[in-house]
């Protein structure tokens, strides 16, 4: 099969012919029809995750089952499926409680094993992790859910428990940030979107953001304080840097809730966070790490009903060659939406 491969961290990936995967016991092989390109893929390429070389990135995917491993009960060849980027083992206390996103034995395509920037990908514990794609939902839309959209959905609905009428500030208007804008609006919140890219802010406005703030070196928390009449109830860092994390936290009103979605790798020791404000204002700091397959039906139903439209977040579709070329600089790119990869191109 054709796949995007790199041999060492921070080296240029290329497209190669490699061996097609074999379905593991309890797992399946999926023919990839769409896969998302995400900042998390760049983190893997940059060496911020413990991965084996050579490596195939890619963790947001949708396609059809090509082969089924021994022991799989619920799925058959030809089924339309997607999968969360965190695949639980299906047997531990966390998986059995519906919290596969924190499974200690989790597998992650594109991180713990070869991912979906390829024509085929192997997935583990299929009966616990696969999600059926309704016929009315396109593969590109389904692929967009696996990391960014599902993470934003769970972050706002289950972690921050956003309520109608609350102010939500989203720092970063890339794929996950724009997802958060759309979802927060669907929940009845008032939304402030922050980004350095005017085009991304224009998309956020089209998705319903009540205000947009350009991150041009000005005082972001002060601007949010004015726009929201005292600070937001909920803040989301959808980028993952010390600056964006601090801006989000300092944009909160007293007793507000911060959700960290963007990966925050340490640059020189642990990242600095304004903990004095967290303590003094009794702020809640929440992490959000994807969403388990058992929680997908509610989100899928809202998409089928048209209440959520993740397809509007897709900016462009590229081939494997373009994905290989773009990956090393993806942390500095400014897409006004999601980039999807079609392995057939």
């Amino acid at each position: 099969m054709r796949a995007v491969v790199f041999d060492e961290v921070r080296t240029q990936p290329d497209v190669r012919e490699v061996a097609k995967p074999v379905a593991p016991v309890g797992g399946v092989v999926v023919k990839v029809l769409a896969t998302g390109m995400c900042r998390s893929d760049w983190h893997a390429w940059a060496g911020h995750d413990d991965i084996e070389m050579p490596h195939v990135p890619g963790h947001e995917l949708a396609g059809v089952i090509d082969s089924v491993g021994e022991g799989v009960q619920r799925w058959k060849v030809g089924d339309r499926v997607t999968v969360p980027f965190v695949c639980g083992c299906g047997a531990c206390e966390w998986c059995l409680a519906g919290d596969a996103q924190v499974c200690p034995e989790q597998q992650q395509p594109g991180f713990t094993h070869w991912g979906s920037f390829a024509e085929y990908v192997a997935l583990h514990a299929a009966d616990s992790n696969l999600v059926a794609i309704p016929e009315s939902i396109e593969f590109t839309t389904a692929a967009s859910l696996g990391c960014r959209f599902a993470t934003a959905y769970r972050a706002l609905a289950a972690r921050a428990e956003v309520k109608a009428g609350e102010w939500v500030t989203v720092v970063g208007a890339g794929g996950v940030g724009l997802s958060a804008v759309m979802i927060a609006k669907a929940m009845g919140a008032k939304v402030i979107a922050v980004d350095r890219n005017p085009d991304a802010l224009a998309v956020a406005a089209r998705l319903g953001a009540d205000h947009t703030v350009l991150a041009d070196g000005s005082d972001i928390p002060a601007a949010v304080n004015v726009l929201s009449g005292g600070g937001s109830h909920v803040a989301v860092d959808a980028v993952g840097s010390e600056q964006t994390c601090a801006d989000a936290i300092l944009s909160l009103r007293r007793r507000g809730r911060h959700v960290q979605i963007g990966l925050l790798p340490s640059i020189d020791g642990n990242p600095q966070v304004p903990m004095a404000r967290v303590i003094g204002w009794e702020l809640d700091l929440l992490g959000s790490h994807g969403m388990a397959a058992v929680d997908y039906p509610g989100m899928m139903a809202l998409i089928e009903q048209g209440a959520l439209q993740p397809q509007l977040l897709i900016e462009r579709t590229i081939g494997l060659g373009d994905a290989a070329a773009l990956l090393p600089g993806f942390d500095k790119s400014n897409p006004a939406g999601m980039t999807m990869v079609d392995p057939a191109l």
Side-chain angles (χ1 to χ4, degrees):
M1 68 172 183
R2 296 170 64 244
V4 174
V5 185
F6 55 90
D7 295 308
E8 298 292 340
V9 296
R10 296 182 178 269
T11 59
Q12 181 61 52
D14 59 12
V15 179
R16 302 179 197 167
E17 290 285 339
V18 297
K20 179 181 173 182
V22 175
V25 174
V28 299
V29 169
V30 170
K31 179 179 174 63
V32 180
L33 297 179
T35 182
M37 191 169 189
C38 172
R39 186 180 170 96
S40 298
D41 299 311
W42 175 86
H43 280 292
W45 171 86
H48 299 155
D49 297 274
D50 185 14
I51 57 177
E52 293 185 5
M53 299 295 173
H55 187 68
V56 176
H59 63 290
E60 296 179 307
L61 67 111
V64 296
I65 295 178
D66 178 74
S67 61
V68 177
E70 180 184 349
V72 175
Q73 301 294 322
R74 296 180 52 211
W75 305 98
K76 65 183 185 303
V77 172
D79 284 347
R80 294 162 48 95
V81 296
T82 185
V83 68
F85 79 90
V86 177
C87 295
C89 70
C92 70
E93 62 175 300
W94 306 103
C95 289
L96 295 176
D99 292 319
Q101 76 280 354
V102 293
C103 172
E105 303 299 325
Q106 65 189 247
Q107 298 286 330
Q108 296 183 24
F111 299 96
T112 61
H113 60 94
W114 280 14
S116 54
F117 285 9
E119 293 179 304
Y120 298 89
V121 63
L123 300 172
H124 300 266
D127 286 338
S128 299
N129 295 303
L130 295 190
V131 177
I133 304 173
E135 291 291 337
S136 61
I137 296 179
E138 295 183 357
F139 288 108
T140 51
T141 301
S144 74
L145 306 177
C147 174
R148 288 165 285 186
F149 199 86
T151 297
Y153 182 85
R154 186 170 180 278
L156 295 174
R159 301 295 283 145
E161 298 181 338
V162 170
K163 301 175 181 63
E166 289 188 318
W167 283 98
V168 175
T169 295
V170 179
V171 180
V176 70
L178 291 173
S179 299
V181 169
M182 176 185 289
I183 293 162
K185 288 303 297 181
M187 297 174 72
K190 295 171 285 188
V191 178
I192 300 170
V194 180
D195 201 273
R196 62 188 181 185
N197 180 2
D199 293 336
L201 291 178
V203 175
R206 291 199 297 272
L207 294 174
D210 298 270
H211 302 285
T212 61
V213 177
L214 184 64
D216 57 0
S218 58
D219 190 334
I220 300 300
V224 171
N225 183 72
V226 171
L227 292 171
S228 61
S232 58
H233 300 85
V234 173
V236 175
D237 175 14
V239 179
S241 72
E242 288 188 354
Q243 184 65 58
T244 54
C245 177
D247 282 344
I249 291 172
L250 296 174
S251 294
L252 289 167
R253 63 183 60 200
R254 296 169 190 272
R255 307 214 73 202
R257 292 104 71 198
H258 169 76
V259 189
Q260 187 65 37
I261 293 179
L263 296 176
L264 195 55
S266 59
I267 304 301
D268 184 18
N270 290 322
Q272 295 186 39
V273 175
M275 290 302 295
R277 175 67 64 89
V278 172
I279 295 166
W281 286 23
E282 291 194 352
L283 305 178
D284 292 338
L285 301 187
L286 304 166
S288 188
H289 190 236
M291 186 169 77
V294 294
D295 293 327
Y296 266 66
M299 180 179 67
M300 283 289 197
L302 292 173
I303 295 170
E304 286 192 280
Q305 296 163 14
L308 295 174
Q309 301 182 67
Q311 67 272 18
L312 299 180
L313 304 175
I314 298 171
E315 179 190 33
R316 58 183 174 175
T317 298
I318 62 175
L320 290 177
D322 289 330
L326 289 173
L327 182 59
F330 205 70
D331 64 318
K332 294 183 171 60
S333 66
N334 289 306
M338 293 186 182
T339 297
M340 304 305 293
V341 181
D342 181 348
L345 298 178

